[in-house]
């Protein structure tokens, strides 16, 4: 792959000369005409996207994201070998406007709350091209987006959105207009999206290529289905295009002075009364209707902010009227269900294996929900988890004699070891109060578990 990329100019406007040659000015041959005499699109942005440095950064990002193969069946390493020979031809097609992306591969993944989310997985080659485009377009488009938009933007994230929402609730806006769009990524109108994009960049080569990606179709069970709407999740460009489309609604809310937070297609507007909330909901229906998008009436509501979740968090009132954050009920329930699956006592796995599977899930979950201001909940979850691990350990020791011997080796009191061994089949009960002083936090550390596994 790197060999193929070295064949490309280092920057837009540099002629296709040997390696190490200094860049020429903007009047170089490559700007005036594409190589091999093909008609150029005249796209400065496209030339910038296809420079060697930009493509190398895009390739590093695609490789770091890993991901599966698209409809061509080529993974990242196979694509790298393939591009060594075909990239020059692909580049000429991109510059001449004749490149046709491959269809995306349909993949359905289960949602935590039930149902399925459809993804469209582009080929690795198309992910590379989209990422290269993203790196050029994002610095141009992102500064034009609303300050109330937080999804898929550099230097912004879900945590920033939650903190902003918390500040609005703290200011006295206790009614939320919670809007959920029905199958947003599947119902984006291509013509409306292209129209909004043209108003922002006006580069015919890039617009043509993005239109080709939107129209590339989706493959399901070996059959390619054409489409006139939708920008399937799975490609690097999809979140940016979503922000381009929805920014129109953001700006309309800004002009009216509303306090709101949007993360991708999830938007919450905070108001002081239910009557004001109903007016905002009617406004949003009209604004989204102009974009041919539909509000999901089942999931959307004008309601009190407490008990409503946003990006996995909800709010509660601490003493003194201070608004604080906590993990919402649904993600907390999902977490416990997953922990029960990973710590099932009938799994037939060693203690170290159980912990190795637990660790990445717990770290990821805690990293996302680290903003929760509920230390008591964290302590209870920690106690419950260690209780489950101690129950697994007791079951793996099986016989009372083994429990007695191992507990004495861990310096348990003689009467505690005898009591646990005498009731050797009561794993959950014995792993509670009796063993708290024996199988402690130090015991559950990775090094200790490695020594104690049986």
């Amino acid at each position: 792959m790197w060999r193929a990329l070295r064949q490309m100019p280092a920057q837009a406007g540099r002629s296709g000369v040997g390696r190490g040659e200094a860049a020429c000015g903007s009047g170089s041959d490559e700007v005036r005409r594409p190589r091999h005499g093909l008609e150029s699109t005249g796209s400065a942005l496209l030339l910038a996207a296809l420079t060697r440095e930009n493509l190398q950064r895009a390739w590093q990002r695609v490789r770091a994201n890993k991901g599966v193969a698209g409809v061509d069946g080529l993974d990242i390493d196979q694509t790298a070998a393939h591009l060594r020979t075909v990239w020059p031809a692909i580049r000429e097609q991109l510059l001449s406007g004749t490149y046709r992306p491959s269809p995306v591969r349909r993949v359905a993944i289960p949602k935590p709350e039930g149902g399925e989310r459809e993804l469209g997985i582009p080929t690795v080659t198309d992910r590379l091209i989209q990422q290269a485009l993203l790196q050029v377009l994002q610095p141009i488009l992102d500064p034009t987006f609303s300050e109330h938009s937080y999804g898929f933007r550099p230097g912004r994230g879900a945590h920033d959105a939650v903190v902003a929402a918390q500040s609005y609730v703290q200011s006295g806006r206790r009614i939320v207009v919670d809007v959920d769009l029905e199958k947003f990524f599947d119902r984006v109108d291509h013509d409306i999206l292209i129209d909004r994009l043209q108003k922002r960049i006006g580069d015919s080569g890039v617009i043509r290529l993005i239109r080709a990606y939107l129209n590339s179709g989706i493959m399901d069970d070996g059959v390619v289905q054409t489409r006139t709407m939708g920008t399937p999740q799975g490609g690097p460009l999809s979140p940016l295009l979503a922000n381009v489309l929805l920014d129109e609604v953001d700006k309309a809310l800004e002009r009216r002075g509303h306090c709101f937070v949007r993360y991708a297609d999830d938007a919450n507007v905070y108001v002081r009364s239910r009557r004001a909330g109903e007016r905002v909901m009617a406004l949003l229906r009209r604004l989204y209707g102009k974009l041919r998008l539909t509000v999901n009436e089942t999931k959307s509501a004008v309601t009190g902010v407490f008990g409503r979740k946003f990006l996995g968090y909800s709010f509660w009132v601490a003493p003194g009227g201070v608004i604080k954050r906590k993990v919402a009920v649904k993600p907390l329930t999902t977490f416990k269900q997953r922990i029960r699956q990973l710590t099932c006592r009938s799994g037939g796995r060693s203690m170290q294996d159980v912990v190795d599977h637990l660790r990445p899930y717990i770290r990821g979950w805690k990293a996302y929900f680290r903003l929760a201001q509920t230390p008591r909940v964290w302590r209870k979850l920690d106690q419950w988890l260690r209780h489950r691990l101690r129950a697994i350990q007791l079951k793996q020791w099986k016989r009372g004699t083994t429990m007695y011997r191992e507990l004495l080796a861990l310096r348990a009191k003689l009467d505690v070891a005898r009591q646990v061994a005498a009731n050797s089949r009561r794993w959950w009960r014995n792993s509670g109060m009796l063993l708290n002083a024996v199988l402690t936090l130090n015991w559950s550390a990775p090094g200790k578990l490695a020594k104690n596994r049986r």
Side-chain angles (χ1 to χ4, degrees), residues 379-393:
R379 285 195 297 270
K380 287 183 177 180
L381 284 176
D382 184 61
Q383 291 167 4
W384 173 71
L385 175 58
R386 286 187 283 118
H387 192 163
R388 295 190 65 84
L389 290 176
R390 289 193 295 267
I392 293 174
Q393 183 66 87

Side-chain angles (χ1 to χ4, degrees), residues 103-106 119-120 216-220 223-227 232:
V104 297
R105 181 166 66 87
R106 186 193 299 273
L119 302 181
S216 62
I218 188 163
M219 180 175 287
D220 189 18
V223 178
V224 177
Q225 303 171 1
T226 58
R227 54 182 182 166

Side-chain angles (χ1 to χ4, degrees), residues 175 177 271 273-283 285 302:
I175 301 296
V177 184
V271 295
S273 70
R274 192 173 296 271
R275 190 173 180 179
E278 295 294 349
R279 288 198 300 267
V280 171
M281 179 65 84
L283 169 66
R285 289 193 185 100
V302 178

Side-chain angles (χ1 to χ4, degrees), residues 199-437:
K199 292 177 180 178
R200 292 173 181 264
I201 58 174
D203 189 298
S204 60
V206 169
I207 295 295
R208 185 183 294 112
L209 182 55
I210 291 176
R211 170 72 84 167
Y213 274 114
L214 292 174
N215 294 338
S216 62
I218 188 163
M219 180 175 287
D220 189 18
D221 292 330
V223 178
V224 177
Q225 303 171 1
T226 58
R227 54 182 182 166
T228 57
M229 63 172 58
T231 168
Q233 300 176 74
L237 274 178
S238 182
L240 179 66
L241 297 179
N243 279 332
V244 168
L245 186 65
L246 294 176
D247 188 62
E248 181 174 313
V249 178
D250 297 343
K251 295 298 174 54
L253 291 173
E254 279 184 351
R255 286 193 298 270
R256 290 164 173 83
H258 288 299
C259 296
F260 70 98
V261 180
R262 181 177 65 81
Y263 189 92
D265 58 329
D266 291 329
N268 278 9
V269 186
Y270 297 90
V271 295
R272 297 183 185 274
S273 70
R274 192 173 296 271
R275 190 173 180 179
E278 295 294 349
R279 288 198 300 267
V280 171
M281 179 65 84
L283 169 66
L284 288 172
R285 289 193 185 100
R286 291 197 303 271
L287 293 173
Y288 286 128
K290 291 179 181 178
L291 300 176
R292 298 182 186 174
L293 298 171
T294 305
V295 173
N296 187 332
E297 301 293 347
T298 304
K299 295 184 178 180
S300 302
V302 178
T303 184
V305 70
F306 302 111
R308 199 76 182 177
K309 73 179 180 72
F310 179 59
L311 300 178
Y313 284 88
S314 59
F315 302 111
W316 61 286
V317 184
V322 178
I323 304 300
K324 293 194 173 183
R325 305 173 296 265
K326 67 176 182 178
V327 183
V329 174
K330 270 192 176 180
L332 191 58
T333 302
T334 302
F335 171 78
K336 289 182 176 180
Q337 289 173 345
R338 183 58 179 155
I339 292 298
R340 289 187 182 99
Q341 293 171 358
L342 293 173
T343 57
C344 177
R345 292 194 292 274
S346 59
R349 296 170 296 164
S350 69
M351 178 61 74
Q352 188 62 42
D353 190 43
V354 171
V355 172
D356 288 344
H357 282 81
L358 271 176
R359 188 179 292 115
Y361 178 73
I362 292 175
R363 283 179 176 172
W365 195 85
K366 193 169 183 181
Y368 182 77
F369 288 108
R370 67 180 183 270
L371 293 186
Q373 298 167 302
T374 49
R376 184 180 300 177
V377 173
W378 288 119
R379 285 195 297 270
K380 287 183 177 180
L381 284 176
D382 184 61
Q383 291 167 4
W384 173 71
L385 175 58
R386 286 187 283 118
H387 192 163
R388 295 190 65 84
L389 290 176
R390 289 193 295 267
I392 293 174
Q393 183 66 87
L394 287 182
K395 185 175 180 183
Q396 290 182 354
W397 283 339
K398 293 182 181 178
R399 294 184 297 274
T401 53
T402 305
M403 292 180 186
Y404 182 77
R405 183 180 67 249
E406 295 292 343
L407 289 174
L408 288 181
L410 290 168
R411 298 182 180 179
K413 293 181 179 179
L414 191 62
D415 60 331
V416 170
R418 285 174 177 171
Q419 190 173 343
V420 171
N423 299 279
S424 58
R425 304 294 292 179
R426 296 185 176 183
W427 306 302
W428 182 254
R429 181 177 177 179
N430 285 337
S431 59
M433 299 300 296
L434 284 174
L435 295 186
N436 277 352

